[in-house]
Amino acid sequence: MVLSSVLGFPRIGANREVKKAVEAYWAGKLSAEDLIKAAADVKKSSWTSLKERGVDLIPSGEFSLYDHVLDHSAAFNAIPKRYQGLGLSALDVFFAMGRGRQADGVDVPACEMKKWFDSNYHFVVPELSEETDFKLLYNKVLAEYKEAKEIGVVTRPVVLGPISYLVLGKAAKEASPNFQPISLLPKILPVYKQLLSELKAAGAESVQIDEPILVLDKGAELDKQYAYAYAELAPVSPKIILTTYFNRLDSNINFIAKLPVAGLHIDLVRAPQQLGEVLAAIKSTPIVISLGVVSGRNIWKADFAVAIKFAQTAIAALGADRVVVATSSSLLHTPVTLASEKKLTQQQRDWFSFALEKAAEVATIAAVLSGSQDPKVSAALEANKVSIAKRREFESTSDDAVRKRVAAITPDMYDRKSPFAVRKEVQAKHLNLPRFPTTTIGSFPQTKEIRTARAKLGKGEISEAEYDEFIKKEIELVVKFQEKVGLDLLVHGEPERNDMVQYFGEQLTGFVFTQNAWVQSYGSRYVRPPIIVSDVSRPTPMTVKWSSYAQSVSSKPMKGMLSGPVTILNWSFPRDDVPRKLQSQQLALALRDEVLDLEKAGISAIQVDEPAIREGLPLRRSDWDEYLQWAVDTFKLSTAGVTDATQTHSHFCYSDFGDIFPSIQRLDADVISIEFSKSDMKLLHTFKQYGYSNQIGPGVYDIHSPRIPSEAEIIERLKTTLAIIPDHLMFINPDCGLKTRGWKETEASLANLVAAARWARANA
Ligand code: MET
């Protein structure tokens, strides 16, 4: 019999209940007790729905009020000193680490966040040092296992494995210079042993231990640590299902096959080619294979025929009792249910599966493989065949004009007319910015009023004209504020945008939108990625009206603001019938037209944000070059059409990109801004070492937290930065856009930023 398994479920609630509860708690409007209760209701609903869908192996323990990596740090006492002894409850310490805290005399910034592998989910980076005193403060996984059991759902607990946990961590400031988090393995294993043995004592039969590090190149250097750790854990643990996702194991399978684990999960959506190799490696072991055949990263219906074929290969090699069919990864990256979508056409609805529908898919595939005679199962199999065929038919009716335009791209379209040194001079005259120009990344607070106005427009309660008037007022307010506070290169504030990707998607052809398909990005921040379903083009200008209006109310230069092709692609659910490269090229051509229209309208600086370029990087180094080639090319294609006088900007988040440095240079943006305030100086040293030649604005304060940075703090940051970056190349800006912030902290923070820039002009 083939079992079905789901590796993890969205933790936001079908109607974003968790966001609402968590934010109400932060605002002091909900008690801790009621927050826990709201979370319990969401967990309960997930468990029962999975059971109803017929899933055999239902996950527990992966729920989180903020982030699952943070859950481990908090439970393991990996709590940096600055959050200790503040008189906070365990829950508030947890949130303080996630988002910082500035209240009642407590003032601590948040821990660093990083992208979770190549997804748009952010995890809170564990801060570790020789002093980290791991102990199990509470066993969250056990508690949730029991919680599910109480309502009659037997689950398989999920734990992030010790090696992945440590490798995802970073050295805390107090760590000695050569400290490597993995050196803490002997210290953390007792905690895992305790956690796992408590699960076993409570009756858990098996446990899913996630070790996604095994799909990375660095997994190969950790063979000894894996052998050591799992030999320690296996004897005390429920049966271990070692779980990998997002990529292929490559040669790591050789040592993995020797580990004392009961099962191994592999991702066959991302890396179908690994099946043969993995089966060969585990054939003579007792290891059960869990096949990730239903995508945890996309919203397209699984093609049952493909999934079944993979599973049959595995069954032929190992026997049905050693095969499980599963989602490729946790479903954390997919929206909860298609049932919430009321506006999709019948045709569109038939293409998609969200988390709950995916759960039903794995259950059906497993049932088919187990030889089920249930007429519902054969009906579902037949329906899938029809849906897949219809989608293929739709795909073949592509937009010819768009495809032809892509085919006609010429090499000169990728390059600016003159080199940066020449452009810099021309732009200095044209824009007339002071030394250390100050600017922001684009968005200003998305206030309740803005969201209400947009909602009213959506419901038809106000007219388009009324909405436009409202947005114009907002823009004027933001522009006047920037003038007053003394910023140099202004922005219009992006009040008209619900989201930096959705906004563009809504104006391009080829996208489909959902009403409720939210996916967690970080903490209580969820995004609703649009879905690319066909060829993309731009029927009319998208932002020119707003940027021109903003420019018309100020004599200071205005920066136009677009989202880049790679980012729009990465933060949408892409098509799975054509390569990402082609989708990115189509987006780039649409954006190129927009950039030229902005220039024509008198906008002299244009920012094309590519915060997702780094996260889209393939997980294996051998796949990087191909990606970087088209990713950088498409950015250039979208920006390079302008004259020398127009200053192009780009923005990057979580800029862990020392290693892709040449590509950042090759983008040839006149100015880049990078998220930087929580990083160390290593990144800037890389820029220096490689002789980065264009202008750069390393973010001077963290915008993910409501905390206000002091002028002195920003000056300190500038001093260290200026020791590395030449002053004539420096811009001064926050880490990222301000849309998630309130006005109060925005005003105060930017005033301090401008004051720090004045200090720099006088002293540096
Ligand atoms: N221009 C965008 C903003 O300011 C860039 C965001 S990058 C995540 O919000």
Side-chain angles (χ1 to χ4, degrees), residues 115 440-444 493-494 497 500 561-563 567 571 607 609-612 651-653 704 735-739:
K115 293 276 160 107
T440 60
I441 307 306
S443 57
F444 268 74
E494 305 178 23
R497 299 185 191 176
M500 64 180 288
M561 199 60 59
L562 304 172
S563 300
T567 296
W571 289 356
Q607 180 170 312
D609 293 320
E610 283 293 22
H651 173 70
F652 305 95
C653 295
H704 294 98
D735 254 355
C736 195
L738 302 162
K739 63 181 165 226

Side-chain angles (χ1 to χ4, degrees), residues 519-693:
V519 176
Q520 187 183 21
S521 172
Y522 68 90
S524 70
R525 190 91 200 139
Y526 308 163
V527 292
R528 199 166 36 151
I531 306 172
I532 307 181
V533 298
S534 58
D535 292 324
V536 173
S537 62
R538 184 198 75 144
T540 49
M542 305 183 281
T543 64
V544 177
K545 166 166 103 180
W546 304 122
S547 288
S548 316
Y549 178 72
Q551 185 66 85
S552 76
V553 294
S554 180
S555 54
K556 288 204 170 178
M558 190 62 55
K559 187 162 63 162
M561 199 60 59
L562 304 172
S563 300
V566 185
T567 296
I568 295 183
L569 177 66
N570 268 322
W571 289 356
S572 299
F573 288 116
R575 298 166 69 166
D576 64 354
D577 61 312
V578 293
R580 289 201 300 157
K581 174 180 172 181
L582 177 69
Q583 298 176 68
S584 195
Q585 285 172 322
Q586 294 180 355
L587 284 160
L589 288 172
L591 288 164
R592 184 180 176 94
D593 295 343
E594 183 74 12
V595 165
L596 292 176
D597 282 344
L598 280 169
E599 183 181 52
K600 231 182 282 161
I603 304 299
S604 36
I606 301 168
Q607 180 170 312
V608 177
D609 293 320
E610 283 293 22
I613 210 164
R614 177 68 175 78
E615 102 191 9
L617 202 61
L619 295 170
R620 291 274 187 180
R621 210 170 250 272
S622 51
D623 302 329
W624 282 13
D625 286 354
E626 193 228 328
Y627 164 79
L628 286 169
Q629 186 65 41
W630 65 254
V632 172
D633 278 354
T634 47
F635 172 86
K636 294 179 76 174
L637 185 59
S638 58
T639 50
V642 293
T643 64
D644 288 349
T646 299
Q647 187 172 66
T648 58
H649 289 237
S650 190
H651 173 70
F652 305 95
C653 295
Y654 304 97
S655 313
D656 205 357
F657 48 46
D659 45 5
I660 57 162
F661 185 82
S663 299
I664 300 299
Q665 178 80 65
R666 198 165 77 79
L667 294 169
D668 199 23
D670 293 307
V671 186
I672 60 170
S673 57
I674 55 175
E675 175 172 346
F676 182 67
S677 71
K678 281 184 291 180
S679 318
D680 55 25
M681 292 290 150
K682 212 169 86 199
L683 175 67
L684 289 192
H685 281 294
T686 313
F687 276 84
K688 185 177 175 184
Q689 182 193 335
Y690 284 95
Y692 185 72
S693 59

Side-chain angles (χ1 to χ4, degrees), residues 447 449-451 453-454 462 465-475 495:
T447 57
E449 291 72 35
I450 298 179
R451 285 198 302 269
R454 192 170 309 126
I462 56 171
E466 282 168 317
Y467 178 72
D468 282 9
E469 266 325 294
F470 171 84
I471 293 292
K472 277 187 179 168
K473 282 215 189 77
E474 284 295 321
I475 291 178

Side-chain angles (χ1 to χ4, degrees), residues 127-389:
E127 269 175 48
L128 306 166
S129 77
E130 292 91 341
E131 285 166 40
T132 306
D133 178 22
F134 289 122
K135 52 186 172 220
L136 194 61
L137 297 180
Y138 49 90
N139 195 338
K140 174 180 172 292
V141 189
L142 175 69
E144 288 182 9
Y145 172 75
K146 288 184 175 162
E147 211 177 326
K149 211 169 178 183
E150 260 159 40
I151 58 158
V153 184
V154 177
T155 56
R156 184 169 74 186
V158 180
V159 184
L160 176 60
I163 298 184
S164 292
Y165 173 77
L166 291 175
V167 173
L168 289 169
K170 68 170 187 182
K173 275 206 186 84
E174 65 273 14
S176 59
N178 293 322
F179 172 77
Q180 298 284 342
I182 190 68
S183 66
L184 297 181
L185 188 57
K187 272 176 83 179
I188 205 172
L189 285 179
V191 172
Y192 272 90
K193 280 185 177 169
Q194 185 187 343
L195 187 159
L196 294 168
S197 56
E198 287 178 9
L199 280 175
K200 191 173 183 178
E205 229 178 84
S206 59
V207 60
Q208 172 185 324
I209 304 191
D210 287 3
E211 285 285 7
I213 289 293
L214 284 169
V215 306
L216 304 184
D217 293 328
K218 68 174 111 163
E221 299 147 22
L222 296 163
D223 53 341
K224 289 196 186 61
Q225 282 88 343
Y226 272 103
Y228 160 57
Y230 284 83
E232 290 277 310
L233 298 181
V236 299
S237 171
K239 283 194 280 177
I240 294 173
I241 313 304
L242 189 69
T243 301
T244 69
Y245 36 79
F246 301 157
N247 210 340
R248 52 186 195 266
L249 299 176
D250 278 357
S251 60
N252 296 346
I253 186 59
N254 299 329
F255 71 81
I256 294 170
K258 297 195 187 104
L259 297 175
V261 296
L264 170 67
H265 174 86
I266 54 170
D267 186 336
L268 289 182
V269 176
R270 277 293 182 79
Q273 72 278 30
Q274 64 179 335
L275 181 61
E277 211 176 347
V278 170
L279 290 177
I282 62 166
K283 197 168 164 49
S284 58
T285 73
I287 295 175
V288 166
I289 190 80
S290 165
L291 306 173
V293 288
V294 170
S295 174
R297 294 287 296 271
N298 214 329
I299 44 58
W300 298 99
K301 257 184 190 165
D303 185 339
F304 288 4
V306 173
I308 288 169
K309 213 163 164 202
F310 280 135
Q312 280 167 342
T313 308
I315 292 170
L318 309 177
D321 291 342
R322 278 180 66 193
V323 176
V324 172
V325 291
T327 55
S328 64
S329 65
S330 165
L331 297 174
L332 168 67
H333 314 282
T334 63
V336 178
T337 175
L338 202 48
S340 313
E341 301 305 323
K342 306 291 178 217
K343 290 197 176 155
L344 294 176
T345 64
Q346 224 10 70
Q347 182 194 35
Q348 293 162 350
R349 172 180 295 275
D350 190 42
W351 296 334
F352 309 135
S353 272
F354 295 174
L356 275 180
E357 293 76 35
K358 285 169 185 287
E361 289 185 344
V362 282
T364 304
I365 298 167
V368 171
L369 291 161
S370 302
S372 164
Q373 296 301 320
D374 185 342
K376 276 200 218 120
V377 171
S378 30
L381 186 61
E382 188 50 37
N384 180 266
K385 204 192 265 171
V386 175
S387 304
I388 298 292

